[in-house]
Amino acid sequence: MPPAINYSVNSLQYAQTNTYRVACKHVSKVICHRLHNDEEQYLVGWKTPKDPLVPPGAICSWHGLAELSASLHHVQLYLESVSAGRRVDGNGQPTTPGLKRKSPDSSDSDTQSAPNFATSLRKDTPLPSRETSVISIGSSSSITTTSEVVSRTFEVYNGILQRKEGKILAKKSRDEGIVKRNAANLPDAPMLQAAAHATTAMAEQQIRIAFENKLGRLRNVRWENYVDNTAPSLDFTFIDSFTLRPGVYRSDPDAHEGCQYPCRQHMGQNIGCEYPRLCTCLEFAAVNEPELKRENEERYQQHLQQKQEKGYFVNTTDLPKRFPYQKPNKDNPHMPSKLQTFYLDQRYPIYECNLNCNCGSVCKSRVVQKGRKVPLVIFKTPNRGWGVKCDEELIRGEFIDTYIGEVITNAEADVRESKAGKDKSSYLYSLDKFVGDAEDLTPDTCYVVDGQFMGGPTRFINHSCEPNIRQYTVSYNKHDLRVYDLAFFAIEDVPAGTELTFDYMDKDEEEEEEVLRQRAEAAADPSNEDKLPCNCGAKKCRGYLWV
């Protein structure tokens, strides 16, 4: 094991030479920032075995951005708390507000920077003790020196740092010469004064670059921000498909039942299946009841009775089915397939063919499984955080993208929700479409998709009580009732550049008078006081999220 060292003050040069980085998983939070020798530096509070925050004896140390390249998410959270005026101490309690970040374009003559309290340290040398007079800023921006308060300031508090496998790690020391600071009281007044006049422009730039690199793995997605200098969370990972967590299982695609005779490639004028009543992939698809009634009134009445008794899973062999998608327009090859009006309005499960089907990859029923085709933009809204829009016009019924993330058990979802608290945004989506259609599938046993930390661009779509897109159940395996796709389709024509929104509560459309009545009741209900207000701005806004 490499020997423990006291870390040098020349952090930027050291990190570039030795390529050591602060180990992200060991960081509790970033506590403060300063400008030292024209370099932005950030005070890191290290995790302890007993407390994930910053208890009194926690090790704290100053680091430049080169050393924090693997921990930029913590820097981002700190900058967000500063910007929102939510500065907290080591125990997560609010401290005195009023810290403002200096604009990189502002002149140094506008304000007098607080002095630097850094102590130059050498490697392999115990931290020295040094008393430094506190410098305070007067109301007229003049500098006055006070001798009443004496502070000890060092690069590392309550321990030492060591190099190991390219990483910087904090370590407790038995050396009696190590200076102790109450980390729970950091940042102290001199640190806050220094931070008030220290730029964070370089950190903001590196955070934006880091998010750009994350987004680069996605095809045809970009981001923009004309509101401020922030970027979406670096703690979010873009993925291509569901990530199954412990306790979650789905069938192997090779075992999916595909359609056979009469389905075959190049049928239906080379666009796939054309016999919905015979295609086995559409066994559980919606029955075309008007057509069935015209054909056979007795069979129609029998079907209605079976549907009432057994739900979706009735024997529909040889009955006319509703094909989910409108055939592509051969006269306009650029016109996308559209979800049929019946499915848009009724929310019936959509069944697509799969890789084991005879119809081949050209089949017109394969829309969602071929992935997103439209260009999306993640953008900063003026008042609702991040949102999503499309660079192209969307037509009613056009597929946009799916909602993906970690697939977890319902019990795990309850645990995550309880830890998040009432005032936190929720990215949980229950896969409960088929609850009740199997004996072992209940609200307590269905799976849940969590898109908070992993997912696609749709994770950033905002809510509206009058949305322009809606989510639908899409399955490629009719026998898997637990794992299926959550697909977004446009429910109206959406002009290019319009923000995309869906209803988080997934409610059907109601009359405006009824919505206004419900909104008044919700506002008068004391149980809604702690609920998040809805800022969608729609005429039919319900007033709160999750009501």
Side-chain angles (χ1 to χ4, degrees):
M1 179 182 295
I5 63 169
N6 291 321
Y7 204 59
S8 168
V9 68
N10 194 353
S11 55
L12 181 61
Q13 179 181 353
Y14 178 87
Q16 290 175 339
T17 303
N18 297 276
T19 64
Y20 284 94
R21 302 289 186 268
V22 170
C24 180
K25 67 178 181 179
H26 297 296
V27 175
S28 174
K29 62 186 296 186
V30 171
I31 301 172
C32 197
H33 75 282
R34 70 183 183 187
L35 194 63
H36 175 63
N37 293 338
D38 295 326
E39 177 196 16
E40 290 180 24
Q41 292 186 347
Y42 293 83
L43 182 60
V44 168
W46 295 80
K47 285 183 179 178
T48 63
K50 297 181 180 179
D51 195 333
L53 289 175
V54 186
I59 300 174
C60 300
S61 53
W62 287 99
H63 296 275
L65 290 170
E67 300 154 4
L68 296 173
S69 60
S71 306
L72 283 177
H73 170 61
H74 292 286
V75 179
Q76 184 182 39
L77 289 176
Y78 165 75
L79 295 181
E80 289 175 354
S81 71
V82 171
S83 178
R86 300 191 307 270
R87 174 172 292 283
V88 295
D89 62 19
N91 291 320
Q93 299 301 315
T95 62
T96 304
L99 176 65
K100 296 181 180 179
R101 285 187 289 161
K102 180 181 177 183
S103 169
D105 298 324
S106 63
S107 170
D108 290 336
S109 61
D110 294 339
T111 56
Q112 176 65 51
S113 297
N116 194 308
F117 293 103
T119 301
S120 180
L121 307 178
R122 295 184 295 109
K123 299 178 185 178
D124 305 315
T125 303
L127 289 169
S129 297
R130 177 178 175 181
E131 295 184 356
T132 307
S133 296
V134 176
I135 308 298
S136 63
I137 305 297
S139 59
S140 61
S141 297
S142 62
I143 301 179
T144 60
T145 303
T146 64
S147 58
E148 296 178 0
V149 181
V150 177
S151 173
R152 301 177 186 271
T153 58
F154 304 96
E155 295 299 309
V156 184
Y157 311 116
N158 302 332
I160 56 176
L161 305 180
Q162 68 176 172
R163 298 169 293 182
K164 183 179 180 181
E165 298 176 352
K167 297 178 181 178
I168 303 168
L169 301 174
K171 183 180 180 181
K172 289 289 185 181
S173 175
R174 296 179 180 178
D175 187 346
E176 296 297 331
I178 296 297
V179 175
K180 298 297 194 298
R181 289 291 304 272
N182 188 336
N185 293 335
L186 299 178
D188 57 19
M191 291 178 183
L192 289 173
Q193 289 176 353
H197 304 291
T199 179
T200 58
M202 184 59 68
E204 292 170 348
Q205 181 186 40
Q206 290 199 20
I207 289 169
R208 293 193 296 270
I209 292 173
F211 182 78
E212 182 75 24
N213 292 335
K214 277 179 168 283
L215 195 63
R217 65 167 295 171
L218 297 184
R219 178 184 55 83
N220 217 9
V221 180
R222 64 182 182 87
W223 74 289
E224 64 182 32
N225 183 356
Y226 297 113
V227 176
D228 53 35
N229 292 326
T230 63
S233 174
L234 295 181
D235 204 24
F236 182 78
T237 300
F238 287 102
I239 55 178
D240 301 315
S241 58
F242 284 144
T243 297
L244 306 186
R245 293 309 186 193
V248 174
Y249 308 93
R250 72 181 307 180
S251 60
D252 190 315
D254 292 337
H256 293 179
E257 179 184 348
C259 58
Q260 306 299 317
Y261 180 83
C263 301
R264 62 187 185 277
Q265 292 188 29
H266 310 308
M267 69 188 306
Q269 298 179 332
N270 294 322
I271 55 175
C273 298
E274 63 176 345
Y275 301 115
R277 71 172 66 208
L278 300 178
C279 178
T280 55
C281 287
L282 298 179
E283 179 182 359
F284 302 137
V287 173
N288 190 333
E289 293 178 353
E291 182 176 342
L292 175 61
K293 185 175 183 179
R294 289 193 299 269
E295 291 179 353
N296 189 326
E297 177 69 27
E298 182 180 353
R299 184 69 181 88
Y300 169 70
Q301 295 298 333
Q302 182 183 6
H303 165 72
L304 293 181
Q305 182 177 353
Q306 290 179 342
K307 187 172 70 170
Q308 184 177 6
E309 295 174 352
K310 300 182 179 180
Y312 292 123
F313 297 97
V314 299
N315 183 3
T316 61
T317 304
D318 296 332
L319 297 186
K321 309 291 174 51
R322 290 186 180 272
F323 200 85
Y325 303 110
Q326 181 177 317
K327 295 179 181 180
N329 189 336
K330 286 188 171 296
D331 297 330
N332 186 356
H334 300 292
M335 183 66 68
S337 297
K338 296 189 298 181
L339 189 63
Q340 297 278 17
T341 299
F342 171 85
Y343 286 95
L344 280 174
D345 295 341
Q346 300 298 322
R347 314 294 298 281
Y348 204 95
I350 300 163
Y351 295 95
E352 294 190 357
C353 289
N354 58 63
L355 296 176
N356 299 324
C357 294
N358 276 356
C359 54
S361 60
V362 298
C363 181
K364 60 182 175 293
S365 77
R366 303 186 186 192
V367 174
V368 173
Q369 64 192 265
K370 290 183 178 180
R372 175 178 49 82
K373 305 296 182 183
V374 299
L376 296 182
V377 182
I378 301 171
F379 74 104
K380 189 66 174 286
T381 69
N383 64 337
R384 295 206 295 163
W386 298 95
V388 176
K389 60 186 177 181
C390 183
D391 271 338
E392 295 179 357
E393 179 184 4
L394 298 171
I395 60 175
R396 186 174 188 267
E398 184 173 359
F399 169 62
I400 300 168
D401 204 350
T402 58
Y403 187 88
I404 56 178
E406 302 172 87
V407 184
I408 57 179
T409 63
N410 193 73
E412 172 63 18
D414 289 341
V415 171
R416 295 188 182 190
E417 207 163 25
S418 64
K419 289 182 179 180
K422 294 182 179 180
D423 60 338
K424 299 293 184 181
S425 298
S426 177
Y427 300 91
L428 301 175
Y429 204 111
S430 295
L431 296 174
D432 57 0
K433 183 69 173 179
F434 301 107
V435 164
D437 291 323
E439 291 184 0
D440 61 340
L441 188 56
T442 67
D444 293 331
T445 61
C446 67
Y447 297 150
V448 179
V449 180
D450 187 354
Q452 181 172 5
F453 298 111
M454 295 179 132
T458 56
R459 181 264 197 189
F460 297 94
I461 297 178
N462 279 318
H463 162 84
S464 176
C465 297
E466 292 185 80
N468 51 23
I469 68 175
R470 188 175 289 156
Q471 64 276 28
Y472 295 82
T473 295
V474 179
S475 176
Y476 324 132
N477 178 13
K478 61 188 179 183
H479 297 301
D480 191 347
L481 308 184
R482 293 183 178 274
V483 181
Y484 48 82
D485 274 2
L486 302 168
F488 290 103
F489 289 83
I491 57 175
E492 62 187 36
D493 293 342
V494 183
T498 302
E499 182 178 2
L500 304 179
T501 58
F502 74 100
D503 187 345
Y504 288 0
M505 293 298 290
D506 199 20
K507 292 189 174 183
D508 294 328
E509 187 175 357
E510 297 178 305
E511 294 296 329
E512 185 173 350
E513 293 78 7
E514 175 63 17
V515 173
L516 293 177
R517 184 191 64 79
Q518 294 178 10
R519 185 167 68 193
E521 289 183 357
D525 187 349
S527 64
N528 291 328
E529 290 182 358
D530 296 333
K531 290 187 177 179
L532 292 172
C534 178
N535 297 317
C536 71
K539 290 183 178 179
K540 296 182 180 180
C541 178
R542 297 189 288 269
Y544 299 93
L545 289 175
W546 319 120
V547 295

